[in-house]
Amino acid sequence: MKLVAGNSNRPLAGAIADYLKVPLARAQVRRFADMEIFVEIGENVRGEDTFIIQSTSSPTNDHLMELLIISDALRRASARRITAVIPYFGYARQDRKSAARTPISAKLVANLITHSGVDRVLTLDLHAGQIQGFFDIPTDNLFSAPVMVRDVKERLGGRQKVVVSPDVGGVVRARALAKRIDAPLAIVDKRRERPGESEVMNIIGDVAGLSCILVDDIVDSGGTLCNAADALLAQGASEVYAYITHGVLSGGAVTRIAKSRLKEMVITDSILPTEAVKVAHNIRVVSIAPLMGEAIGRTATESSVSSLFD
């Protein structure tokens, strides 16, 4: 197989290559003076099973274009199969028409990827599971749950725990983790009574005296997470942790998290951590390289990927 890395997350691509004991293919992904993207594959890929490792994280449009152009380069170089490995799939939150005359951008991006020549997609914790159906090619949506469960058991093994969904929409994800660590489930019900007023957060479930584990797929501004932590502590929780797959952390999110009452927030390296994330005292990064590497290896050998999560 051949592993080709874009510029979105080179350290993760290198870690995946180390796990698979396969060197990254020689490839140039650079800019012309006017910032157009230029790609050149520096070795023969004719008849090869190729994997492009590229998150479509910020700057989202640049990294998406890199993915499309790398795919086109590999297709024109006669690669046998092209798999787009997208640890973080950008535009996933635009998965439906939320109002009149608005786009479904996740479907548009799926079309772009498909028509660029990609034969298969491998991604992680899609914001909405139905996005798999937006692709007209095989799409594997991996789950970070095994990585999270292992970390929870190592760090919080002896404590009385409760898994908390920060909103009603994330209950399925939280329930899956709660089942794996044999813990009860609670839900943060947030509602805004009138426009312009702050959200009222009600806790469904018993959290008093327990270590709370907030579970979500994306943390962006961090506001909801910090407010949920305050609400849980007000209901008698002893401490609050957060386990999030994708640390988007835009704007002042890192500062907000650092000043919050969260004991610790754990994110994966699906998005390249910034320096601010690395030095934050209550943010920790765990690697998904072994998980992604194992899935890539199984895809290459036509083995079962779903059995990773049995």
Side-chain angles (χ1 to χ4, degrees):
M1 75 177 86
K2 297 284 186 180
L3 304 179
V4 182
N7 291 326
S8 68
N9 199 336
R10 303 282 304 190
L12 175 61
I16 291 172
D18 289 343
Y19 178 86
L20 291 168
K21 296 181 173 56
V22 175
L24 291 173
R26 296 192 307 276
Q28 286 189 54
V29 184
R30 56 184 176 84
R31 301 291 191 275
F32 287 116
D34 63 354
M35 299 309 294
E36 285 185 3
I37 297 166
F38 173 75
V39 170
E40 183 177 11
I41 309 300
E43 57 188 77
N44 181 29
V45 294
R46 183 179 294 273
E48 295 280 2
D49 197 3
T50 57
F51 295 82
I52 308 168
I53 303 171
Q54 176 82 333
S55 283
T56 51
S57 51
S58 180
T60 306
N61 297 335
D62 285 359
H63 289 152
L64 175 59
M65 279 304 299
E66 283 186 11
L67 172 63
L68 300 178
I69 294 171
I70 294 170
S71 172
D72 186 72
L74 290 172
R75 180 170 61 88
R76 294 176 188 279
S78 301
R80 177 172 59 84
R81 181 172 67 172
I82 303 168
T83 300
V85 180
I86 312 173
Y88 171 68
F89 183 81
Y91 287 105
R93 285 172 285 181
Q94 299 180 44
D95 63 317
R96 66 195 185 283
K97 288 192 68 170
S98 56
R101 296 172 296 281
T102 58
I104 304 178
S105 302
K107 172 58 176 169
L108 172 62
V109 171
N111 288 345
L112 290 170
I113 291 171
T114 301
H115 289 291
S116 72
V118 169
D119 299 298
R120 189 179 194 96
V121 170
L122 192 64
T123 188
L124 177 71
D125 274 348
L126 282 171
H127 183 64
Q130 67 265 23
I131 294 174
Q132 282 181 282
F134 292 0
F135 288 91
D136 295 325
I137 53 178
T139 302
D140 291 311
N141 181 29
L142 306 180
F143 304 104
S144 63
V147 177
M148 301 298 192
V149 168
R150 190 180 310 114
D151 194 84
V152 168
K153 288 181 177 179
E154 289 175 358
R155 300 275 177 161
L156 308 173
R159 305 183 196 187
Q160 293 295 312
K161 301 176 288 293
V162 57
V163 176
V164 183
S165 173
D167 52 45
V168 175
V171 170
V172 173
R173 184 180 296 105
R175 185 185 291 121
L177 180 65
K179 183 178 180 181
R180 283 172 173 262
I181 65 173
D182 193 24
L185 178 68
I187 304 166
V188 178
D189 174 38
K190 60 180 182 182
R191 60 189 69 188
R192 193 183 301 273
E193 298 297 340
R194 281 178 291 275
E197 292 189 3
S198 60
E199 291 175 332
V200 177
M201 293 203 170
N202 301 307
I203 308 301
I204 303 171
D206 184 19
V207 299
L210 301 177
S211 295
C212 294
I213 303 172
L214 282 162
V215 179
D216 211 348
D217 64 321
I218 295 174
V219 55
D220 191 347
S221 68
T224 296
L225 211 59
C226 295
N227 292 339
D230 291 339
L232 290 167
L233 291 167
Q235 291 293 315
S238 61
E239 55 189 358
V240 181
Y241 294 82
Y243 278 78
I244 314 292
T245 305
H246 308 297
V248 175
L249 298 172
S250 58
V254 175
T255 301
R256 189 174 294 113
I257 295 292
K259 292 180 178 178
S260 74
R261 301 172 71 189
L262 280 170
K263 183 90 171 180
E264 185 178 56
M265 182 176 76
V266 179
I267 58 176
T268 75
D269 56 354
S270 65
I271 297 173
L272 182 66
T274 63
E275 285 304 314
V277 168
K278 293 177 183 177
V279 301
H281 74 280
N282 61 344
I283 301 178
R284 183 163 54 87
V285 180
V286 295
S287 182
I288 54 165
L291 175 66
M292 302 300 292
E294 185 65 26
I296 289 171
R298 293 185 181 206
T299 300
T301 58
E302 305 293 347
S303 302
S304 170
V305 172
S306 60
S307 62
L308 274 171
F309 309 103
D310 293 339

